[in-house]
Amino acid sequence: MTNGTVMPELDSVLEKHRSELTGYCYRMLGSSFEAEDAVQDTLVRAWRSYDKFEGRSSLRSWLYRIATNVCLDMLSAGNKRARPMDLTDSTPLARAALSPRPDNTWLEPMPDARVLPTTADPAEAAVAKESVRLAFMAALQQLPPKQRAVLILREVLAWRASEVAELLGTTVASVNSALQRARATLAERADRGAGAAVSDPLDEEQQKLLERYVAAFEGYDMTALTALLHEDAVMTMPPFDLWLTGPADITGFMTTFGAGCAGSRLVPVQANGLPAFAHYKPDPEAGGFAPWAVQVLEISDGRITGFHFFLDTKRWFPLFDLPLRLEAEADQTE
């Protein structure tokens, strides 16, 4: 059977794997856009070489083998995506300065819909969400690429060691050894901004916390916001490497550097298995509201432990299928 005779059916079959492959490549690469590029490359390679696919493994395993090779090639330059707290110390507000770094420095946000599978199994859904949360993603980026692949395939996707060994062209013993080393590295990082204890779906307490956050932020009420922040809460703003710790510095920044965000509007979105919002700030020139950031929140024990402002709106808002402006108050419901 030639590519020409299978093309319509094959395109459809390959496309069914796009979401899970995107999730895999995103975990491997830490970049939303690189992950989508890697998946497109994978599907093109699969289509072109399908007549050589001998069926000794499943089509899904074959696609993962291609995707792994694509990702390993992309990672050969050695770049590790990171969060600001992975690169610098926290900066006191008195010394705050906005110093940008190149786009390829940063761990990037990802809409849930592009990477999380549709599943009726709550346990499977929970693992998938946990495995794209920012802290876990940042820890993954510290692993050597092959260890990263082993850990994702074994721990997140629940592949057998023998299946991973076949995919990587190695031995079960080597896979088990790589997994052990990867687990040890992640355990060492478990205390570094680790966990957002988020229910799925959000429980009543968490939902009320988010409602109070939206009211405090949109009202730019720093007293109310302070009451919602954990004493060790962190705030980041990629592409700037500045990050702040604690309610006093965070709210102090928001009323000085961030004073232009007073009167903003927040629109709920879903990102990285965490509560998130599209942040629009007032546009004094054109009226209405202009895009400012995608906010991703981490919460634990009834408090906000981290909120991360991804500021490159020309990239993020189209990725999240968000409008590039909101009209003035009276027109927002239209």
Side-chain angles (χ1 to χ4, degrees):
M1 187 177 291
T2 66
N3 277 343
T5 59
V6 301
M7 183 177 66
E9 179 184 354
L10 181 59
D11 284 349
S12 175
V13 169
L14 295 178
E15 194 62 30
K16 290 178 182 178
H17 296 274
R18 182 180 291 275
S19 178
E20 65 170 311
L21 289 172
T22 303
Y24 175 62
C25 293
Y26 175 60
R27 296 178 185 99
M28 284 290 291
L29 300 170
S31 164
S32 320
F33 298 102
E34 287 184 0
E36 296 199 332
D37 288 347
V39 172
Q40 190 61 32
D41 192 2
T42 296
L43 297 180
V44 169
R45 292 189 190 190
W47 190 89
R48 288 176 175 169
S49 59
Y50 185 73
D51 55 348
K52 299 176 184 176
F53 174 52
E54 298 175 353
R56 288 181 294 184
S57 62
S58 69
L59 176 65
R60 180 171 181 258
S61 297
W62 183 60
L63 290 172
Y64 270 91
R65 181 180 297 112
I66 298 171
T68 300
N69 290 333
V70 170
C71 289
L72 293 177
D73 287 345
M74 294 174 73
L75 290 166
S76 62
N79 183 54
K80 294 180 180 179
R81 299 273 176 165
R83 303 170 300 172
M85 63 275 281
D86 300 319
L87 301 178
T88 66
D89 292 330
S90 178
T91 305
L93 179 60
R95 298 207 310 270
L98 298 178
S99 303
R101 297 201 187 191
D103 290 341
N104 64 4
T105 305
W106 303 116
L107 179 66
E108 297 178 348
M110 177 66 98
D112 285 359
R114 292 181 182 254
V115 293
L116 295 181
T118 302
T119 175
D121 183 343
E124 183 180 336
V127 168
K129 278 198 168 186
E130 289 169 7
S131 69
V132 294
R133 288 180 181 158
L134 294 175
F136 184 79
M137 287 288 300
L140 279 179
Q141 305 313 302
Q142 302 306 309
L143 299 175
K146 286 193 176 180
Q147 282 187 30
R148 201 180 307 176
V150 167
L151 185 124
I152 295 166
L153 291 165
R154 292 282 285 121
E155 301 278 272
V156 178
L157 301 178
W159 286 38
R160 295 190 296 271
S162 58
E163 294 174 319
V164 178
E166 181 180 357
L167 182 146
L168 294 175
T170 187
T171 64
V172 169
S174 177
V175 166
N176 289 337
S177 176
L179 180 60
Q180 186 176 12
R181 294 195 302 274
R183 284 172 172 166
T185 299
L186 263 59
E188 290 173 2
R189 294 179 55 86
D191 60 343
R192 300 183 60 185
V198 182
S199 316
D200 182 26
L202 296 177
D203 62 31
E204 184 178 358
E205 180 185 4
Q206 292 167 343
Q207 191 60 54
K208 287 182 177 178
L209 174 64
L210 294 182
E211 291 170 0
R212 291 168 64 197
Y213 170 74
V214 170
F217 194 94
E218 292 190 341
Y220 233 57
D221 183 340
M222 295 301 116
T223 300
L225 185 60
T226 296
L228 305 180
L229 296 176
H230 190 276
E231 61 181 6
D232 296 323
V234 300
M235 174 180 174
T236 70
M237 293 159 285
F240 302 114
D241 58 13
L242 171 74
W243 63 285
L244 302 164
T245 306
D249 277 2
I250 289 172
T251 57
F253 182 93
M254 291 174 67
T255 54
T256 53
F257 287 83
C261 290
S264 290
R265 295 292 175 263
L266 300 182
V267 176
V269 295
Q270 295 180 310
N272 292 85
L274 293 166
F277 297 93
H279 172 187
Y280 294 84
K281 74 174 186 176
D283 186 341
E285 295 182 2
F289 301 87
W292 182 247
V294 170
Q295 299 183 8
V296 182
L297 273 61
E298 295 170 315
I299 60 179
S300 183
D301 297 327
R303 290 288 183 272
I304 295 169
T305 57
F307 57 137
H308 309 284
F309 292 68
F310 294 92
L311 300 181
D312 191 350
T313 55
K314 289 182 179 178
R315 301 173 77 216
W316 304 131
F317 276 49
L319 182 73
F320 281 81
D321 295 322
L322 289 162
L324 292 179
R325 70 175 295 99
L326 292 182
E327 297 307 320
E329 189 82 14
D331 301 323
Q332 284 188 52
T333 58
E334 295 183 6

